[in-house]
Amino acid sequence: MQNIRLRTATDVLAAIPALLGFVPVNSVVMIALTGSPVTLAFVARTDVIGADAATHYRVAFEQAAVTSVIWVVVGAGPVAAAGLDQIEAAQRELDSMGIRSVRTLVAESLEIGAEWFDITGEESGRTADPILSEVSMNRIMSGRQ
């Protein structure tokens, strides 16, 4: 298996459709990480409205020995605000399990050229073409769609 390195927030955002198998909209995506060096444990997606990310994945966190997460909200305006509220509630649960948040990204969509920002305000940009992401290309070269 080839190691794929996601070095930037743009890389992470471009990889999400290939990791999930579809392009999420109006969603909260959680990228669960484990180990040292950090590796991907699993990726999960929930609806922005009416979901509770942390509660549904408690067993998976424990089985995969998750140590940290990257949160991504896909949506704009009220959707983004609701997604951030969901993350805040979920992160309180994760804090009690010793799982820390590495970063939280908000993207209006994952289509090429969509605006995104890190909630710390330190980084922002535009999304890359997810079809050309390293993860997507790896799946294609492996014979998977």
Side-chain angles (χ1 to χ4, degrees):
M1 179 194 313
Q2 177 184 2
N3 289 332
I4 297 173
R5 298 190 193 286
L6 303 177
R7 293 172 183 83
T8 67
T10 301
D11 292 345
V12 170
L13 294 169
I16 289 172
L19 292 170
L20 288 174
F22 62 93
V23 180
V25 295
N26 299 334
S27 302
V28 172
V29 177
M30 178 185 48
I31 302 169
L33 307 169
T34 188
S36 181
V38 175
T39 57
L40 177 68
F42 64 89
V43 178
R45 177 239 167 243
T46 59
D47 290 330
V48 165
I49 307 299
D52 181 1
T55 302
H56 296 322
Y57 302 116
R58 182 176 267 289
V59 172
F61 291 134
E62 293 167 359
Q63 289 179 345
V66 172
T67 56
S68 60
V69 296
I70 297 172
W71 294 103
V72 178
V73 176
V74 182
V79 169
L84 290 170
D85 288 345
Q86 183 186 123
I87 289 169
E88 184 179 337
Q91 191 57 53
R92 281 193 298 272
E93 173 98 10
L94 296 184
D95 288 343
S96 72
M97 298 170 66
I99 300 170
R100 66 185 179 87
S101 175
V102 175
R103 73 186 316 173
T104 302
L105 305 171
V106 178
E108 59 185 22
S109 78
L110 295 181
E111 296 175 10
I112 188 169
E115 291 185 7
W116 66 265
F117 64 91
D118 186 314
I119 63 163
T120 64
E122 294 178 12
E123 194 175 358
S124 64
R126 295 202 175 267
T127 54
D129 188 345
I131 294 172
L132 299 178
S133 76
E134 192 173 344
V135 174
S136 182
M137 297 306 284
N138 182 282
R139 289 186 180 267
I140 291 167
M141 298 306 288
S142 303
R144 293 180 273 169
Q145 293 186 14

